[in-house]
Amino acid sequence: MTVTTTAPPPSRRTGPRPADLARHPVSVAVLAALLALGAGILLVVAAGADPATAWAALDEGMFGSSYAVGSSLNSAAVLALIATGFTVAHRAGLVNVGGEGQLCAGGTAAAATGLALPAAVPGAIGVPLVLLAGFLGGAAWAGIAAWLKVRRGTSEVITTLLLNFIGLGLVSVSVHEAALLRQPVTSSETLPQSAPLPAGAQLPLIGGAESPATAVVIIAAVLALCVGAALRHTATGVRLRAVGHSPAASARLGLPVARLEGGSLAFAGGLAGLAGAALVATAPYVLAENFSSGYGFSGLVVGLLARGSLTAVAAASLLFGFLTSGGINLQLAAQVPAQTVQIVQSLLVLFIAAAMLITHRRTRSGS
């Protein structure tokens, strides 16, 4: 009699494979950060500075004082507002690259509203009005691209990109023309900018007299939490996700595709406009030429890095916000160009994008 034996089944892995760990977004981000840091060190050495001195200056600019931390938090909050709006539009399948123009439109609307208020306006009225004006200004600016998208089928990437330049020009005209927002001439140092906002239209401080951190930090955190909950747990969030996956299938199911696409883009512009209002309502409380400082484009980068996660939006905003503040002190204390930090940020984005592309291709080839 022949006895047949069966081999025991192969043991199953109980934990993640090394290849899966290497492709994990956190692993990719850490590796990209190390590569970007290495490139930054090389740039510091090329500039003739000591890496230890440069690191001390960067650390001092980010965490060395209450002022440094407060300034970094303000920058992070502005970036988080823009990136949160980008995430909402991206959930509907749209790419909003017009954060800079929407920020400028919101800042201009906020400045015009604040300067129209009486000098003795209470903060309980002035601050909400200024922030609301900024939100509506940014939403209206993005609404132009939204209308062209849903009515004419024009790519929102092109329209929002082009509207950036018009928004920047709008600020320039507003602060140069006496009939608009230009401050009356008192000295060469006051131009080109508007008059300061009244005290009742200025954002209150939250970190004490030594810290410039304002209420925008709380506003950005609350909005990010609310938007994240809405996208995850409400019917609107499900509908936006459905439209983002397939507008045609969503239309066949009866979803208002045009309204969802247009509304998400307008809301993204509103949050960018709110960020612009926050910049105007923070010291020195004026609308000045180039006041946006490229926050709109940096917020776009944060949104792209976050890949739809509001938790990642918060983390990336804090990283970029603190790096921006540290870069200023890097130039002052270590004589290293502040653009070095911008180069490191750009390299970080490129490295993460390249790593994601490589791992995606390996996954497809292995399947």
Side-chain angles (χ1 to χ4, degrees):
M1 182 175 62
T2 304
V3 178
T4 58
T5 61
T6 58
S11 60
R12 296 182 179 179
R13 292 181 179 269
T14 57
R17 295 179 300 175
D20 294 332
L21 291 175
R23 287 192 292 264
H24 194 277
V26 174
S27 302
V28 171
V30 170
L31 178 60
L34 292 175
L35 291 174
L37 178 62
I41 293 174
L42 292 177
L43 290 172
V44 168
V45 173
D50 177 46
T53 303
W55 175 257
L58 185 65
D59 180 70
E60 178 71 19
M62 293 190 295
F63 309 108
S65 64
S66 298
Y67 183 89
V69 173
S71 179
S72 299
L73 289 176
N74 281 341
S75 299
V78 171
L79 294 175
L81 286 172
I82 299 170
T84 298
F86 175 88
T87 301
V88 173
H90 190 263
R91 188 63 58 94
L94 304 178
V95 180
N96 176 34
V97 298
E100 186 79 0
Q102 295 149 15
L103 182 146
C104 290
T108 304
T113 301
L115 294 175
L117 296 174
V121 62
I125 297 176
V127 172
L129 284 178
V130 167
L131 296 182
L132 178 61
F135 180 88
L136 294 178
W141 202 254
I144 300 172
W147 186 86
L148 291 172
K149 170 67 177 179
V150 301
R151 295 298 182 184
R152 302 298 180 185
T154 309
S155 170
E156 78 284 355
V157 176
I158 296 175
T159 52
T160 54
L161 177 63
L162 295 178
L163 283 169
N164 283 332
F165 302 102
I166 302 176
L168 290 168
L170 174 67
V171 173
S172 180
V173 171
S174 298
V175 299
H176 277 89
E177 293 295 329
L180 297 176
L181 299 177
R182 192 186 76 182
Q183 182 179 6
V185 178
T186 56
S187 70
S188 60
E189 297 178 356
T190 62
L191 292 176
Q193 66 182 35
S194 69
L197 298 184
Q202 300 171 6
L203 281 172
L205 300 176
I206 63 172
E210 297 181 355
S211 173
T214 66
V216 69
V217 177
I218 299 175
I219 294 172
V222 171
L223 281 174
L225 288 173
C226 293
V227 170
L231 291 179
R232 184 179 295 270
H233 300 295
T234 66
T236 301
V238 175
R239 291 167 181 165
L240 287 174
R241 184 184 294 273
V243 171
H245 282 303
S246 176
S250 300
R252 287 194 293 269
L253 292 173
L255 295 180
V257 174
R259 190 191 313 166
L260 289 168
E261 289 183 338
S264 65
L265 188 55
F267 182 76
L271 290 188
L274 180 61
L279 288 176
V280 171
T282 302
Y285 311 110
V286 298
L287 176 70
E289 196 170 24
N290 300 321
F291 85 106
S292 63
S293 301
Y295 276 114
F297 298 113
S298 298
L300 166 65
V301 172
V302 171
L304 289 171
L305 285 177
R307 301 173 65 201
S309 169
L310 270 301
T311 302
V313 164
S317 297
L318 287 171
L319 173 63
F320 276 51
F322 277 86
L323 282 176
T324 299
S325 296
I328 298 174
N329 193 63
L330 186 67
Q331 182 175 16
L332 296 175
Q335 303 301 313
V336 176
Q339 289 77 11
T340 301
V341 172
Q342 298 177 1
I343 294 174
V344 172
Q345 291 175 347
S346 301
L347 289 175
L348 177 62
V349 176
L350 290 175
F351 289 149
I352 289 179
M356 290 296 182
L357 179 61
I358 293 172
T359 54
H360 178 67
R361 285 182 175 178
R362 286 180 178 177
T363 302
R364 291 186 60 184
S365 62
S367 60

